[in-house]
Amino acid sequence: MTSFSKGTSGHPMVKAEGVHKSFGLAHILKGIDLEVNPREVFCLIGPSGSGKSTFLRCINHLEKISAGRLYVDDHLVGYRQKGDRLHELKEKEVAAQRRDIGMVFQRFNLFPHMTALENVMEAPVQVKRESKAVARERAERLLDRVGLGDRKGHYPAQLSGGQQQRVAIARALAMEPKLMLFDEPTSALDPELVGEVLDVMRDLAEDGMTMIVVTHEMGFAREVGDSLVFMDDGVVVESGHPREVLTNPQHDRTKSFLSKVL
């Protein structure tokens, strides 16, 4: 069974080689090449429809790429190569790969009938077959970490949007991933709740979690990001250190986009 090794040495955490993705006649990703190093905070920015979220979903094979290669921790995502042919992995093997990749969506996707604690415990118990005692201890620790230790018995409907998103982050961390994917995690939140979620992400970055963040929060990208890519129309237009790209963009398309969002 293919699963990502726990050790990372000398190779990128994520490597995309000529990644294409089409939905019918719509060509969404048009040859993405990029690398994300271990412990790096890698920010993806760009207009709606540029392919950012689609690329993120390809990394854990929620979307199948149409051409190219995607590697996580030096393992091909979703496929096994024999000679020059690719063979798609069985769903069980794909699920094993996904265990090492946490994902946080725009919408929190919490189970409404479960408390915050139960939401965080669920995957380790069901997927990893951990004992409830072990899963509970970790879930309580993670809820403390995201500032919700006093809300563990609350149901999603009793929590604010920012609190629900922090539970969603704790839930993703409960599987002890080596890579975290954030798909515009603050875009569905009221403005005054954005900061509490970004603070948790900042804390993760300081602890060395490898993160790919699709975001419109340019301040976060500037302060916390190690690398930044500007995507438009399915291609990487510009990349570099966030401060450099945001303050001194080289491409007209990047300049035009940033003039509207900064």
Side-chain angles (χ1 to χ4, degrees):
M1 182 179 292
T2 303
S3 185
F4 302 129
S5 63
K6 286 295 181 189
T8 301
S9 59
H11 52 254
M13 179 62 81
V14 178
K15 185 176 185 179
E17 297 178 344
V19 170
H20 289 255
K21 174 62 182 177
S22 297
F23 295 100
L25 296 176
H27 198 177
I28 307 301
L29 300 177
K30 303 172 182 175
I32 302 295
D33 295 292
L34 56 80
E35 292 186 1
V36 180
N37 291 315
R39 304 175 68 85
E40 187 172 9
V41 179
F42 191 96
C43 297
L44 282 170
I45 67 169
S48 297
S50 59
K52 308 180 303 294
S53 295
T54 297
F55 177 68
L56 211 63
R57 292 170 65 84
C58 288
I59 292 172
N60 62 3
H61 208 58
L62 286 174
E63 299 290 354
K64 300 175 187 179
I65 64 176
S66 305
R69 300 281 191 280
L70 254 176
Y71 300 88
V72 170
D73 205 8
D74 220 26
H75 289 262
L76 199 56
V77 172
Y79 297 91
R80 180 183 293 109
Q81 187 156 346
K82 289 184 179 176
D84 57 357
R85 298 284 303 277
L86 288 183
H87 302 268
E88 190 169 5
L89 298 178
K90 295 183 175 69
E91 183 55 40
K92 192 174 181 181
E93 296 172 302
V94 172
Q97 288 189 332
R98 280 197 194 116
R99 288 179 199 169
D100 284 335
I101 306 174
M103 188 157 185
V104 178
F105 300 88
Q106 296 178 38
R107 296 289 170 184
F108 326 122
N109 298 337
L110 298 177
F111 295 114
H113 62 289
M114 292 184 180
T115 63
L117 185 69
E118 290 165 342
N119 265 283
V120 179
M121 288 174 59
E122 180 72 1
V125 171
Q126 297 299 327
V127 178
K128 284 185 160 182
R129 299 289 184 245
E130 283 188 356
S131 73
K132 287 192 175 181
V134 169
R136 175 183 290 272
E137 190 276 329
R138 186 190 300 111
E140 289 179 341
R141 188 171 70 246
L142 287 168
L143 287 171
D144 281 339
R145 178 173 182 173
V146 300
L148 293 172
D150 60 341
R151 296 286 193 277
K152 63 187 179 185
H154 287 54
Y155 290 90
Q158 299 171 303
L159 301 172
S160 71
Q163 290 170 334
Q164 289 185 61
Q165 191 62 295
R166 284 187 279 155
V167 173
I169 293 172
R171 179 180 60 182
L173 292 172
M175 291 294 283
E176 300 184 306
K178 65 177 66 174
L179 170 66
M180 286 283 284
L181 309 176
F182 292 88
D183 187 6
E184 298 188 23
T186 60
S187 65
L189 300 178
D190 291 334
E192 68 268 22
L193 302 178
V194 168
E196 62 193 51
V197 173
L198 294 181
D199 285 345
V200 171
M201 294 170 64
R202 229 176 245 113
D203 178 53
L204 286 178
E206 287 173 5
D207 276 1
M209 173 62 76
T210 311
M211 299 159 61
I212 304 180
V213 185
V214 172
T215 186
H216 294 296
E217 299 293 336
M218 300 301 158
F220 175 86
R222 185 187 294 108
E223 294 162 34
V224 183
D226 299 300
S227 299
L228 183 141
V229 157
F230 171 66
M231 282 179 66
D232 188 35
D233 196 28
V235 300
V236 172
V237 176
E238 188 163 349
S239 61
H241 191 277
R243 287 191 185 89
E244 184 64 26
V245 175
L246 293 173
T247 59
N248 189 29
Q250 299 301 301
H251 291 260
D252 289 342
R253 183 66 189 94
T254 319
K255 292 174 184 175
S256 170
F257 174 76
L258 292 175
S259 72
K260 296 179 176 70
V261 300
L262 289 178

